[in-house]
Amino acid sequence: MTPDPLPPITARGSRPVQSNFLDTVGDLLQPTVVLLGPSTAVSATDILLRGCRYDGLALTDASPGSPFWSTGGVNWPGVLALTAGTGAAALRVGTLYTGPLARALDGVDLSLPVGITVASAVYAI
């Protein structure tokens, strides 16, 4: 007779922590997807809007006179788009932390496509 397995460890409001290796790796990669998806979308949208024309040396110039200095060294449309895309993606995560919209869709994880779409749309506007 085999002993009963240990009860699952749970955090309040989350699903039980799995001992499956692939589930664990997926849970660790999810925050990366939530952050990198929108940031890549902002970069790709900026490349498309500029017509693939960048001055490589000017991109490395961090002085206030640089053509990419923007407002005080911060590209506020990019920050707004990244924040909106990351927030939208976080609401649709369906892994260790389940966002409210993912929970409403029975755990369907739409964080990557929604984060990319929202970030690109906000940056393009």
Side-chain angles (χ1 to χ4, degrees), residues 3-9 17 19:
D4 289 335
L6 294 174
I9 301 169
V17 176
S19 61

Side-chain angles (χ1 to χ4, degrees), residues 16-117:
V17 176
Q18 302 293 317
S19 61
N20 184 329
F21 176 75
L22 294 178
D23 287 342
T24 303
V25 170
D27 290 344
L28 290 172
L29 290 176
Q30 190 60 48
T32 305
V33 169
V34 168
L35 292 171
L36 286 180
S39 65
T40 303
V42 169
S43 296
T45 304
D46 189 63
I47 288 169
L48 292 174
L49 291 175
R50 292 180 190 265
C52 297
R53 289 181 297 252
Y54 281 98
D55 180 3
L57 291 176
L59 278 172
T60 61
D61 183 6
S63 67
S66 167
F68 297 101
W69 179 254
S70 197
T71 307
V74 177
N75 182 342
W76 289 108
V79 170
L80 178 64
L82 182 61
T83 303
T86 302
L91 290 174
R92 287 157 181 87
V93 172
T95 57
L96 185 61
Y97 160 76
T98 304
L101 298 176
R103 190 175 305 116
L105 294 171
D106 199 27
V108 175
D109 187 346
L110 295 173
S111 59
L112 185 60
V114 169
I116 288 172
T117 304

